[in-house]
């Protein structure tokens, strides 16, 4: 355990150096979720009002409703891209230096998670600040420090499992092209078959709603949304504990899978 | 007698043909076929073999990056299969390709390597300073790796392999792609390293490199050690002489070499840049029949000289083909 912590710190240091030195990508990444917020959020906000759909969203302001989705989706995107440096480490052979050392295999996964979470929180608060300037307001009646804590907590729970899956993919995919293709293929359905844009109860019944119910993204969005907008935005009791446990189970499975894939990678 | 830094017994590696990736669809490849090696502390063992001999596979298996099909590897007495992490503490590995993180400085690389081997932050910083001096990169300590020359990058790699004071340093073709000066500098460095008691396993396909650096050379072909011994020993074992023939004009394409193989006492004939070489057990008789053949064919030789066998000839003898030929 003591090794695990110091190993994780050593590896995380490397990712933080990357963040500092590759500032151009960092800045672009920081602004990326704002596009979602401005373009789709701005568009839908007017539409929801004009079309008299407000009741479908529990009569909360759509921008605030949707910001919860953007926050969770931002963390998801960072997390699924979390394996990318490892893909390049494998292509260029840097990973051999890591794997021929006694460094704990799970600390490889966890160091990426720590980095992704730190970066995501930075982004999340940036998004929140912009949404606030656009007129979004917390309207769930929950104290704001608690809302922020909830966003960070559920975001981190989502990021943990998703980063682990991304690492499993990184270690299993033979090239970065396949890595990108798989993510590009899965990311859009992941986003749309969730409660990001409309509440779960308003999704078409059948396979779509079924998948959305199981989508980890939904389990992060709903509690964040309930904290930001109030219970009516998720159609009733938000059951924080249930979402928390669901995400934790998902995390454990994903981490076990990725560590197994790393260990199996030895030909 | 010095302790064993490395003991490899009967290593076999069969690559799985079903796996995807760049070697997909090649069928099962028996890259190692019962390879055994020993390296003592302070000793440099050169693993000499042509491309495809299985050198990289052997190095990667010893470095715990490839799981052997069968056989055992012990690093300073620690079995890599049973106690991988303890073995990894005792091992430094420098891969064939340079693979540095372009955003990290030289010092950051060394500290990271030390930290990956469980040194504390402050120890790691101290060791990094030591190693910077050792590989003579103090001036470049805070320069990012992508701004370094090839030779400097290789020195960073070497430093990363040494920063935790391993008992065994594994080097896979360390001078491939380096210019002559960097190559010489690396050779000097490795000579010095042996004095510190580190065992070094060095894979190379350069006969010159193997000859210059190795206390012992293991000649590897088709995944097996074919001969092992000090370079001088190996050459002495290989009896006979080599006749070097330099021709006037180009070597004819009319089966001349085929006929040369039938010369009295000739064991093997190889084409050279401006003629050919005949390995023989009976120099004088071969020489006489060679002169006769040249006369019969109306060819003139610019020179015919005797020389003692080199490691290249040793390889030719044990592998039954030229060093640069691909195995069939
Ligand atoms: N990952 C792999 N999958 C399948 N075959 C491989 C793999 N790596 C090497 N080989 C094959 O194993 C043999 C030995 O290769 P290698 O160990 O790289 O030799 P060397 O380093 O001496 O050139 C070659 O035939 C090579 O094609
Ligand atoms: Mg090789």
């Amino acid at each position: 355990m003591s090794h695990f912590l110091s190993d994780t710190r050593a590896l995380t240091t490397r990712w933080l150096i990357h963040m500092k030195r590759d500032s151009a990508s960092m800045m672009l990444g920081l602004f990326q979720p704002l596009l979602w917020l401005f373009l789709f959020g701005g568009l839908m906000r007017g539409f929801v009002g004009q079309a008299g759909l407000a009741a479908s969203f529990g009569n909360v302001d759509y921008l605030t409703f949707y910001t919860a989705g953007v926050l969770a989706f931002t963390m998801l995107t960072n997390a699924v891209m979390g394996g990318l440096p490892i893909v390049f480490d494998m292509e260029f052979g840097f990973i051999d230096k890591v794997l021929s050392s006694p460094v704990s295999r799970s600390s490889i996964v966890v160091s990426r998670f720590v980095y992704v979470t730190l970066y995501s929180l930075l982004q999340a608060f940036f998004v929140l600040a912009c949404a606030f300037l656009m007129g979004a307001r917390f309207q769930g009646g929950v104290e704001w420090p608690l809302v922020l804590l909830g966003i960070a907590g559920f975001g981190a729970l989502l990021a943990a499992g998703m980063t682990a899956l991304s690492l499993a993919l990184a270690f299993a995919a033979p090239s970065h092209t396949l890595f990108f293709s798989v993510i590009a293929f899965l990311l859009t359905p992941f986003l749309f078959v969730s409660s990001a844009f409309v509440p779960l109860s308003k999704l078409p019944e059948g396979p779509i709603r079924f998948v959305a119910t199981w989508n980890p993204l939904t389990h992060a969005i709903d509690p964040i949304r309930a904290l930001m907008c109030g219970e009516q935005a998720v159609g009733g009791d938000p059951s924080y504990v249930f979402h928390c446990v669901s995400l934790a189970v998902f995390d454990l499975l994903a981490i076990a899978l990725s560590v197994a894939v790393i260990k199996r990678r030895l030909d | 007698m010095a302790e064993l830094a490395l003991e490899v017994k009967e290593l076999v590696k069969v690559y799985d043909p079903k796996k995807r990736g760049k070697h997909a669809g090649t069928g099962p490849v028996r890259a190692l076929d019962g390879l055994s090696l020993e390296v003592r502390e302070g000793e440099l063992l050169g693993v000499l073999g042509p491309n495809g001999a299985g050198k990289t596979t052997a190095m990667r298996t010893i470095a715990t990056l490839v799981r052997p099909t069968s056989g055992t590897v012990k690093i300073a007495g620690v079995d890599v299969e049973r106690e991988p992490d303890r073995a990894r503490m005792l091992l430094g590995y420098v891969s064939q390709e340079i693979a540095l993180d372009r955003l990290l400085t030289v010092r950051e690389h060394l500290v990271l390597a030390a930290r990956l081997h469980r040194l504390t932050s402050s120890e790691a910083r101290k060791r990094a300073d030591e190693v910077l001096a050792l590989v003579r990169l103090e001036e470049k300590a805070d320069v990012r790796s992508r701004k370094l020359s090839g030779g400097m990058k290789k020195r960073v790699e070497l430093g990363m392999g040494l920063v935790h004071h391993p008992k065994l340093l594994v080097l896979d073709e360390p001078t491939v792609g380096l210019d002559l000066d960097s190559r010489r500098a690396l050779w000097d460095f490795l000579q010095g390293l042996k004095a510190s008691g580190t065992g070094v396993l060095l894979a190379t396909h350069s006969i010159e490199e193997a000859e210059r650096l190795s206390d012992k050379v293991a000649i590897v072909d088709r995944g097996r050690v074919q001969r092992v011994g000090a370079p001088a020993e190996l050459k002495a074992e290989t009896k006979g002489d080599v006749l070097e023939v330099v021709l006037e004009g180009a070597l004819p394409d009319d089966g001349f070499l085929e006929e040369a193989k039938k010369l009295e006492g000739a064991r093997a004939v190889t084409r050279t840049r401006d003629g050919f070489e005949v390995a023989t057990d009976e120099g004088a008789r071969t020489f006489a029949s060679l002169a006769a053949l040249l006369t019969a064919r109306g060819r003139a030789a610019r020179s015919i000289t005797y020389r003692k066998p080199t490691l290249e000839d040793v390889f030719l003898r044990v592998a039954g083909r030229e060093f640069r030929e691909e195995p069939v």
Side-chain angles (χ1 to χ4, degrees):
Chain A
M1 194 62 194
S2 61
H3 288 315
F4 171 76
L5 290 180
S6 84
D7 288 356
T8 304
R9 226 183 86 200
L11 290 170
T12 306
T13 304
R14 179 176 171 218
W15 310 128
L16 292 179
I17 294 174
H18 280 196
M19 173 143 76
K20 198 168 72 190
R21 306 252 161 95
D22 192 7
S23 45
S25 321
M26 290 306 128
M27 292 311 279
L28 259 180
L30 214 53
F31 283 94
Q32 204 275 332
L34 294 186
L35 293 181
W36 280 105
L37 200 63
F38 288 139
L39 297 179
F40 196 82
L43 186 106
M44 280 297 285
R45 185 188 209 179
F47 175 72
V48 169
Q50 281 164 26
L53 291 174
S56 302
F57 299 94
N59 286 315
V60 290
D61 167 40
Y62 185 77
L63 185 67
T64 315
F65 176 91
Y66 174 66
T67 300
V70 173
L71 287 175
F73 184 58
T74 301
M75 308 229 194
L76 174 80
T77 315
N78 293 334
V80 295
M81 282 300 173
L84 189 61
I86 301 294
V87 173
F88 286 115
D89 276 0
M90 300 220 315
E91 278 185 22
F92 294 113
F94 196 88
I95 199 72
D96 290 346
K97 294 183 173 44
V98 179
L99 295 181
S100 64
S101 84
V103 83
S104 140
R105 281 12 185 185
S106 41
S107 73
I108 302 173
V109 180
V110 175
S111 74
R112 286 307 299 162
F113 160 71
V114 171
Y115 167 81
V116 162
T117 306
L118 284 176
Y119 181 58
S120 297
L121 290 183
L122 206 69
Q123 239 178 353
F125 292 118
F126 191 59
V127 168
L128 270 179
C130 292
F132 189 83
L133 288 179
M134 286 170 73
R137 291 292 177 272
F138 293 158
Q139 28 195 296
V142 184
E143 294 291 326
W144 67 266
L146 213 56
V147 180
L148 294 187
L149 202 68
I151 292 173
F154 281 100
L157 278 170
L158 175 69
M162 283 297 164
T163 309
L165 287 185
S166 174
L167 271 121
L169 177 63
F171 276 98
S175 68
H176 71 267
T177 24
L178 187 67
F179 179 84
F180 279 123
S181 307
V182 171
I183 286 176
F185 183 79
L186 290 178
L187 201 55
T188 313
F190 225 104
L191 174 61
F192 282 90
V193 188
S194 78
S195 58
F197 300 110
V198 285
L200 203 54
S201 58
K202 296 293 180 296
L203 283 170
E205 286 205 45
I208 292 203
R209 194 185 301 174
F210 178 78
V211 174
T213 312
W214 284 87
N215 189 339
L217 186 57
T218 302
H219 291 275
I221 291 175
D222 280 6
I224 289 177
R225 183 169 282 153
L227 287 167
M228 286 176 66
C229 308
E231 297 185 1
Q232 71 276 22
V234 295
D237 178 17
S239 54
Y240 296 108
V241 175
F242 167 69
H243 290 302
C244 202
V245 171
S246 309
L247 285 174
V249 169
F250 163 68
D251 290 347
L252 287 178
L253 291 176
I255 291 169
L257 173 74
S258 67
V259 172
V261 171
I262 295 175
K263 291 204 164 143
R264 211 200 56 136
R265 206 194 84 85
L266 294 178
D267 320 275
Chain B
M1 179 142 262
E3 303 273 309
L4 282 183
L6 173 69
E7 188 181 11
V8 175
K9 277 198 188 135
E10 290 294 320
L11 213 52
V12 173
K13 174 66 192 177
V14 180
Y15 284 111
D16 183 350
K18 288 176 297 257
K19 287 245 175 86
R20 293 147 294 135
K22 65 179 171 184
H23 294 278
T26 48
V29 179
R30 206 173 176 83
L32 298 179
D33 188 18
L35 179 116
S36 301
L37 294 170
E38 278 184 7
V39 181
R40 295 185 182 282
E41 284 182 359
E43 180 181 73
L44 190 149
L45 177 74
V47 174
L48 175 67
N51 285 328
K55 301 183 297 296
T56 295
T57 304
M59 302 300 123
R60 290 178 60 81
T61 309
I62 291 162
T64 74
L65 295 168
V66 168
R67 187 166 289 148
T69 309
S70 66
T72 56
V73 176
K74 282 187 189 164
I75 294 163
V78 179
D79 188 308
V80 300
E81 200 82 38
R82 261 184 248 140
E83 297 180 89
D85 285 353
R86 257 190 80 207
R88 286 172 178 136
M89 288 293 286
L90 300 168
L91 160 95
Y93 168 68
V94 178
S95 59
Q96 189 167 342
E97 278 89 31
I98 290 174
L100 298 178
D101 183 328
R102 51 198 293 283
L103 293 175
L104 263 53
T105 65
V106 174
R107 191 195 304 276
E108 285 160 352
H109 275 97
L110 297 174
V111 171
L112 176 65
R115 297 278 286 127
L116 292 179
H117 290 88
R118 303 196 167 155
L119 274 73
T120 64
S121 300
S122 59
E123 276 174 315
R125 277 195 300 275
K126 218 177 85 217
R127 288 285 181 87
D129 283 335
E130 279 170 33
V131 171
L132 279 170
L134 187 69
V135 296
R136 290 181 298 113
L137 283 171
E138 292 112 317
E139 311 232 304
K140 301 284 179 185
D142 299 309
V143 172
R144 293 191 205 176
S145 71
R146 71 188 156 112
K147 296 193 181 138
L148 302 176
S149 71
M152 290 175 185
K153 283 182 183 157
K154 202 74 208 190
R155 267 142 62 198
V156 178
E157 296 262 348
L158 219 54
M160 290 179 80
L162 285 169
V163 74
H164 56 292
H165 295 177
K167 293 272 187 209
L168 176 76
L169 180 65
V170 177
L171 301 171
D172 195 355
E173 310 224 19
T175 57
V176 167
L178 294 191
D179 60 62
L180 212 58
D181 284 343
S182 309
R183 187 171 307 189
R184 292 242 166 76
L186 190 78
W187 283 344
D188 288 345
F189 177 80
L190 291 178
Q191 293 288 6
L193 187 64
K194 286 194 289 188
S196 74
T198 313
V200 182
L201 182 69
L202 174 134
T204 180
H205 73 265
S206 153
I207 287 170
E208 185 193 359
E209 184 163 286
E211 192 140 21
R212 230 175 219 265
L213 294 176
S214 309
D215 299 305
K216 280 189 188 156
V217 176
I219 295 183
V220 174
D221 188 38
R222 300 189 170 100
R224 292 183 72 92
V225 174
Q226 308 286 349
R227 279 281 194 291
V228 63
E233 247 170 65
L234 289 176
K235 286 184 282 187
E237 267 174 35
T238 307
K239 289 188 213 68
D241 306 296
V242 178
L243 286 173
E244 274 180 342
V245 184
V246 177
L247 290 173
E248 291 285 2
L251 188 67
D253 269 338
D254 55 1
F256 187 86
L257 279 186
E258 291 307 309
E259 281 190 50
K261 280 182 190 154
K262 294 181 202 130
L263 291 172
E264 277 185 66
R267 211 177 36 237
V269 176
T270 25
R271 178 188 282 268
T272 58
R273 193 162 52 83
D274 39 18
F276 57 96
E277 289 180 353
V278 186
T280 169
D281 291 327
E282 301 163 84
R285 284 176 60 202
T286 310
F287 182 84
S289 61
L290 171 65
L293 175 67
L294 286 168
T295 316
R297 289 305 199 92
R299 302 286 311 184
R302 197 179 301 155
S303 69
I304 301 178
T305 40
Y306 278 106
R307 64 170 173 78
K308 286 291 164 195
T310 62
L311 280 182
E312 195 146 5
D313 302 308
V314 179
F315 181 84
L316 181 69
R317 179 75 78 85
V318 298
R321 65 168 195 286
E322 274 185 71
F323 190 70
R324 277 159 237 300
E325 267 171 45
E326 293 285 319
V328 278

